[in-house]
Amino acid sequence: MSDGSSTGAYNGMFNSAFATGADNGGDIASAAACTINTVQHNTNVRIDHFIVVDFVGFIAMVDALGGVSICIPEDINSPKAALVLAAGNQTLNGTQALGYARARTGEGLGDGSDTNRLGRQQRLIAAVVTEVLSKNLLTDLPSLLQFASAATGSLTTDPGLASVDAIPGLAYSLRGVSTSNVSFMTIPFAAAPSDPNRVVWTSAADDVWANIAADRPMLGTEETPATTDPATGAAQPPAGTPAATDAATSAAPVAPVPEPVETKEAGKEAFDASDVTGVCAP
């Protein structure tokens, strides 16, 4: 905690860590500290900095973007979240985006579970990333500063990010990032043996955390082995490489084949911000 006191470890739901720090330390910094310790203890992934975004800050950031475009596959009506959205491609304002992220019960929201809601939150953050990159916000420093100033009043950060220029500078350093560079996934999980209404990580989670800790792609990288030409015994390049493609093209004419639209299920499959995660009628 901020005052130097501490609490003992216990088994519980992950979001209890933030509440434990806030309740015992009395401030956001203590809440962040407990959360960081929980992440580091369970994953061996080092956390260098933190940013806490409250609801007001989330609304301000989305509104500063002029809203965020997202596909709503089916009508949503969630009285508890005060959210009513028609199916189709929609531009959500900050208040609607917050309701979309928080809603769990009602029509068009799946089974109402936390894990189902996670997928919807991932889709929303991916849409925000796409909006930021499509507006060239990270390459336009004046616009970036304006965007940051609209939201930073509702952010809490560690001292290393507390200066006026730190967050815009961090964002500006990411100006070369594309939507395919930003990936989302839900850590592999299964029902907890002690309680079917709770979940625990599976052994597959260990590889994900190890990759992140080692600064590798979280799902690892698969290398396609080279093959051998049965006629000559010479090594051939892996399929899909330019040399292999050229060789295949020279051997026989290739007719154009329409590419299907690939839809990935957020919350269950890993995806990046350029992937299709919801299909709406044009």
Side-chain angles (χ1 to χ4, degrees):
M1 311 302 161
S2 296
D3 61 6
S5 62
S6 62
T7 61
Y10 63 94
N11 290 326
M13 293 180 68
F14 175 78
N15 59 349
S16 299
F18 192 90
T20 296
D23 292 344
N24 289 275
D27 55 22
I28 296 297
S30 297
C34 279
T35 305
I36 289 170
N37 282 333
T38 299
V39 171
Q40 293 185 152
H41 176 80
N42 285 284
T43 68
N44 290 320
V45 174
R46 177 180 170 83
I47 305 298
D48 296 302
H49 298 285
F50 73 82
I51 300 175
V52 178
V53 186
D54 64 17
F55 290 157
V56 174
F58 181 84
I59 291 172
M61 281 191 285
V62 173
D63 285 341
L65 288 171
V68 59
S69 299
I70 191 169
C71 164
I72 307 297
E74 56 185 296
D75 293 347
I76 293 176
N77 185 358
S78 177
K80 289 185 177 180
L83 181 68
V84 177
L85 295 172
N89 293 300
Q90 302 282 2
T91 299
L92 308 185
N93 62 31
T95 301
Q96 290 172 317
L98 179 63
Y100 181 79
R102 297 187 68 198
R104 184 166 55 192
T105 60
E107 300 174 8
L109 295 171
D111 60 13
S113 65
D114 283 331
T115 50
N116 179 75
R117 181 169 60 173
L118 278 174
R120 195 165 64 252
Q121 292 170 344
Q122 290 172 358
R123 290 189 64 232
L124 179 61
I125 297 172
V128 170
V129 169
T130 300
E131 199 74 36
V132 167
L133 295 177
S134 68
K135 294 179 182 296
N136 295 320
L137 190 63
L138 302 183
T139 59
D140 183 349
L141 197 52
S143 297
L144 175 58
L145 290 170
Q146 182 179 3
F147 170 69
S149 65
T152 50
S154 300
L155 302 182
T156 302
T157 70
D158 63 85
L161 295 178
S163 69
V164 174
D165 297 329
I167 293 177
L170 176 62
Y172 189 64
S173 72
L174 300 174
R175 60 191 180 278
V177 168
S178 70
T179 53
S180 61
N181 295 137
V182 184
S183 301
F184 302 84
M185 74 172 295
T186 300
I187 205 71
F189 69 88
S194 59
D195 185 345
N197 294 316
R198 298 289 180 259
V199 298
V200 293
W201 295 337
T202 66
S203 58
D206 296 339
D207 292 334
V208 177
W209 295 128
N211 285 331
I212 294 174
D215 286 334
R216 295 189 296 261
M218 59 188 177
L219 295 178
T221 55
E222 296 182 3
E223 295 186 1
T224 304
T227 58
T228 302
D229 187 329
T232 65
Q236 293 181 316
T241 61
T245 302
D246 290 344
T249 303
S250 63
V254 179
V257 178
E259 292 188 3
V261 175
E262 182 180 11
T263 302
K264 295 190 175 181
E265 191 171 358
K268 295 183 179 180
E269 296 179 271
F271 68 97
D272 63 50
S274 64
D275 284 326
V276 176
T277 55
V279 177
C280 287

